Amino acid sequence: MDSELERYLVQPVLKAMQVLQLVCEASEPIALNDLVRAAALPKTTVFRYLRTLAALRLIEHEPDSDRYRAGIGLWWLSHASNPYETLRQVCRPEMKRLQQRFNETVNLGVLSDREVLYLDIVESERSLRMQATIGATDPLHSTALGKALLAFRSAAQRETLLPQSVPRLTPNTIVDRVELLDQLEIIRATGFALDLGENEEGSCCVAAPICDDRNIALAAISLSAPAARMDGAVRQAICASLMTACAEIGRALLGRRAEVQSTQAQPAA
Amino acid sequence: MDSELERYLVQPVLKAMQVLQLVCEASEPIALNDLVRAAALPKTTVFRYLRTLAALRLIEHEPDSDRYRAGIGLWWLSHASNPYETLRQVCRPEMKRLQQRFNETVNLGVLSDREVLYLDIVESERSLRMQATIGATDPLHSTALGKALLAFRSAAQRETLLPQSVPRLTPNTIVDRVELLDQLEIIRATGFALDLGENEEGSCCVAAPICDDRNIALAAISLSAPAARMDGAVRQAICASLMTACAEIGRALLGRRAEVQSTQAQPAA
DNA sequence: ACCACCTTTTCTTGACATGAAACAAGGCGG
DNA sequence: CCGCCTTGTTTCATGTCAAGAAAAGGTGGT
């Protein structure tokens, strides 16, 4: 499916990044030989990548033990006015407050490539909790985050972002396109989106969008919990807090100029 | 001086990282042509790097505007059990408390390649304040951080880490090797290090080490201020708080197994 | 002192990164 | 509305330079 995306790939870059990732994933400084084994690349090649990455300070070399570990250069990359990073920092305090108030998992998501991309997660402390991973993605149509992000876009964009047919993930998943688009209108009117076990059985999510001054969603925050803990009264309280928090963040973002532009899909060919 | 370090460099990796850095530094999504101009590389080359980096999710492509921006992959790299990142997270709360209590700039530094590497900085809110940059380095011999890091190492390592002759940065810089080594003994005994305008005139720093269970410094925290604000009584209070905070962090680190191993220099050839 | 293991260096080869140039696709002004 | 001009994409021939085998240099253990 991504045969087109796999063109023009520069091998040395791919392989060097693989090595970098291995160094970063290692819980402790790692030696050349271990990297060679892990990466399944020739020793000389790995050696040269390590030297190159070290010159860029992306990794650092411990002369004593001849081991490599993550370097300060990574910090530069991920903090140099990275829009995701700033968005996360702005949202963090409100997300923590939501988590503390309801003790459920709070997710921050943006639209990326026709999917929801989880940018940040503040986890509930309960043993039974919803768990996603930062950087992971979920479909738009089956998640509260996705629907919130879709609803606060132009009608034209909703059309292009929503595939003609969407996969059924649970018995509750809404797979009828018209029904989905109708629901988006309701979400737009009420200001929040629900996911009643549509993405994963037994889980329930509430999401609200963070909008710019044109009422376009830049991101969305959701609270997710087992369905049993998310009934009537509690859900109402959550909805209210969530919408307040998101509106607050939206106002805070207006102050900044480093606005986060969510990816918008190209028109269907 | 680093002619040896510049060997075995893989060009595609260097250039691709340059492009990645440019994308990350841009305050807003940036187009291919702008990158070509900024990087001074052929268009085709930059194009291929962008595709490669996008495949790795280090950057993301906005189909509408044909622009590129930092991607979520960066987050993976810098947060996948990066020892610096974990150290920073552990130290942050105490650093913030120190900053709030004294309203002076608080620095976190580690030993890296015979220098102090600033890992984190919590800035004073005063208009006249000491200011360093995360990722920047300073000499060991002229900074409180450096001396604290040196003092809590074996005598042998102090010898190898301290160059035979050190540069004079201000009139107060201690350039006599014997005098320096003597002072390290005192620092080791008292538990804190001072910099009285030795690195920059008019600035005064107090530093204390964060030690592991063998009393080896993993990192150090310093408070820096204009000399005028750092006299007798205040300095004593700062010293006490600093040493308490560092001891606390040391204890917290003992709990974790992801200990941060500071770089140790190789024996002088 | 020998051996085993690991890093570093050297060297040859051909795969492949390269970049000029042509092509396609918008966008803007005339 | 048309055509020029900017920007992204593709193609292709070339020679660079990344690759990897193999050997040398170091280090620590028994």
Side-chain angles (χ1 to χ4, degrees):
Chain A
M1 61 176 178
D2 43 12
S3 58
E4 289 302 303
L5 292 181
E6 283 172 5
R7 291 176 23 166
Y8 304 116
L9 297 188
V10 181
Q11 298 303 322
V13 178
L14 288 175
K15 287 187 267 183
M17 289 304 102
Q18 184 196 345
V19 170
L20 175 58
Q21 197 176 348
L22 285 169
V23 172
C24 290
E25 279 169 359
S27 55
E28 49 180 12
I30 185 169
L32 172 58
N33 249 4
D34 299 328
L35 281 169
V36 169
R37 267 187 288 278
L41 290 169
K43 185 187 275 196
T44 321
T45 304
V46 175
F47 175 69
R48 271 188 291 243
Y49 290 157
L50 288 173
R51 285 290 253 266
T52 307
L53 294 170
L56 293 163
R57 307 214 60 183
L58 290 171
I59 61 175
E60 287 182 16
H61 180 231
E62 295 189 349
D64 284 341
S65 58
D66 251 316
R67 280 157 198 276
Y68 297 86
R69 60 189 153 84
I72 193 72
L74 287 169
W75 193 90
W76 287 116
L77 281 182
S78 56
H79 287 73
S81 76
N82 182 327
Y84 286 166
E85 200 63 41
T86 55
L87 181 61
R88 180 160 39 229
Q89 274 168 24
V90 171
C91 295
R92 255 284 153 118
E94 289 290 346
M95 290 175 69
K96 279 220 169 117
R97 274 167 54 184
L98 286 169
Q99 186 269 319
Q100 273 162 21
R101 175 145 180 210
F102 300 106
N103 198 12
E104 300 291 357
T105 300
V106 182
N107 309 286
L108 171 64
V110 294
L111 196 54
S112 171
D113 196 24
R114 300 184 188 219
E115 289 191 310
V116 188
L117 170 64
Y118 292 97
L119 269 196
D120 203 0
I121 293 161
V122 180
E123 285 194 358
S124 158
E125 283 158 355
R126 310 202 199 212
S127 50
L128 175 61
R129 62 173 187 259
M130 301 286 86
Q131 202 150 7
T133 323
I134 295 181
T137 57
D138 266 333
L140 290 175
H141 72 281
S142 62
T143 54
L145 278 176
K147 290 191 279 188
L149 289 167
L150 271 180
F152 289 81
R153 297 244 143 205
S154 71
Q157 289 202 331
R158 276 179 248 166
E159 288 285 342
T160 58
L161 287 170
L162 213 50
Q164 283 306 315
S165 89
V166 296
R168 171 180 293 287
L169 301 171
T170 75
N172 291 344
T173 309
I174 304 171
V175 292
D176 183 67
R177 202 159 191 273
V178 176
E179 193 181 342
L180 263 172
L181 290 171
D182 281 354
Q183 194 176 92
L184 292 184
E185 281 301 339
I186 298 173
I187 291 166
R188 200 178 170 82
T190 57
F192 68 92
L194 288 177
D195 151 23
L196 303 169
E198 298 157 38
N199 191 60
E200 196 173 337
E201 268 198 281
S203 110
C204 180
C205 294
V206 192
I210 299 167
C211 293
D212 64 9
D213 48 350
R214 321 204 124 203
N215 222 33
I216 303 290
L218 300 169
I221 291 179
S222 77
L223 232 130
S224 53
R229 290 208 296 263
M230 209 49 139
D231 52 0
V234 179
R235 193 154 84 200
Q236 285 221 330
I238 290 175
C239 268
S241 294
L242 195 55
M243 288 166 67
T244 311
C246 286
E248 192 54 52
I249 294 171
R251 237 169 283 135
L253 282 176
L254 275 186
R256 307 198 170 214
R257 264 313 97 203
E259 274 177 34
V260 176
Q261 295 286 350
S262 300
T263 307
Q264 302 165 8
Q266 61 236 323
Chain B
M1 63 174 178
D2 43 11
S3 58
E4 289 301 305
L5 292 181
E6 285 171 5
R7 292 175 22 165
Y8 303 116
L9 297 188
V10 181
Q11 298 304 322
V13 178
L14 288 175
K15 288 187 265 183
M17 290 303 102
Q18 184 196 346
V19 170
L20 175 57
Q21 198 176 347
L22 286 169
V23 172
C24 290
E25 278 169 0
S27 55
E28 48 181 12
I30 185 169
L32 170 59
N33 253 2
D34 299 327
L35 281 169
V36 169
R37 268 187 287 277
L41 291 168
K43 185 191 275 198
T44 321
T45 304
V46 175
F47 175 67
R48 270 187 291 243
Y49 289 157
L50 287 173
R51 285 289 253 265
T52 308
L53 294 170
L56 293 163
R57 308 214 58 181
L58 290 171
I59 61 175
E60 287 181 17
H61 181 232
E62 296 190 349
D64 284 342
S65 57
D66 251 315
R67 281 157 198 278
Y68 296 86
R69 60 189 151 84
I72 192 70
L74 287 169
W75 192 91
W76 287 115
L77 282 182
S78 57
H79 286 74
S81 76
N82 181 325
Y84 285 165
E85 200 62 40
T86 56
L87 182 62
R88 178 158 43 228
Q89 274 168 26
V90 171
C91 295
R92 256 283 153 115
E94 289 289 347
M95 291 175 68
K96 278 218 170 119
R97 275 166 54 183
L98 287 168
Q99 185 268 321
Q100 274 162 20
R101 174 145 179 209
F102 299 106
N103 199 11
E104 300 292 358
T105 300
V106 182
N107 309 286
L108 171 64
V110 294
L111 196 55
S112 171
D113 198 22
R114 299 184 189 220
E115 289 191 309
V116 189
L117 170 64
Y118 292 97
L119 271 196
D120 202 2
I121 293 161
V122 180
E123 284 194 357
S124 158
E125 282 158 355
R126 308 200 200 216
S127 50
L128 174 61
R129 62 172 186 259
M130 301 286 87
Q131 203 150 7
T133 322
I134 295 181
T137 57
D138 265 333
L140 289 174
H141 72 281
S142 62
T143 54
L145 278 177
K147 290 192 278 188
L149 289 168
L150 272 180
F152 289 81
R153 296 245 146 206
S154 71
Q157 289 201 330
R158 275 178 249 167
E159 288 285 341
T160 58
L161 287 169
L162 212 51
Q164 283 305 316
S165 88
V166 297
R168 171 180 294 288
L169 300 172
T170 75
N172 291 343
T173 308
I174 305 171
V175 293
D176 183 66
R177 201 157 192 276
V178 176
E179 193 182 342
L180 263 172
L181 290 171
D182 280 353
Q183 194 177 90
L184 292 184
E185 281 301 340
I186 298 174
I187 290 165
R188 201 179 169 81
T190 57
F192 67 91
L194 287 178
D195 151 24
L196 303 169
E198 298 156 38
N199 191 60
E200 195 171 338
E201 267 198 283
S203 113
C204 179
C205 294
V206 192
I210 298 167
C211 293
D212 64 10
D213 48 350
R214 320 204 126 204
N215 223 32
I216 303 291
L218 300 170
I221 291 179
S222 77
L223 234 130
S224 52
R229 290 207 297 262
M230 218 27 154
D231 52 359
V234 178
R235 194 154 83 198
Q236 284 220 330
I238 289 175
C239 269
S241 294
L242 195 55
M243 287 166 66
T244 311
C246 286
E248 192 55 52
I249 294 170
R251 237 168 285 134
L253 282 176
L254 276 186
R256 306 199 171 215
R257 265 311 101 202
E259 273 175 36
V260 175
Q261 295 286 349
S262 300
T263 307
Q264 304 165 7
Q266 60 238 323

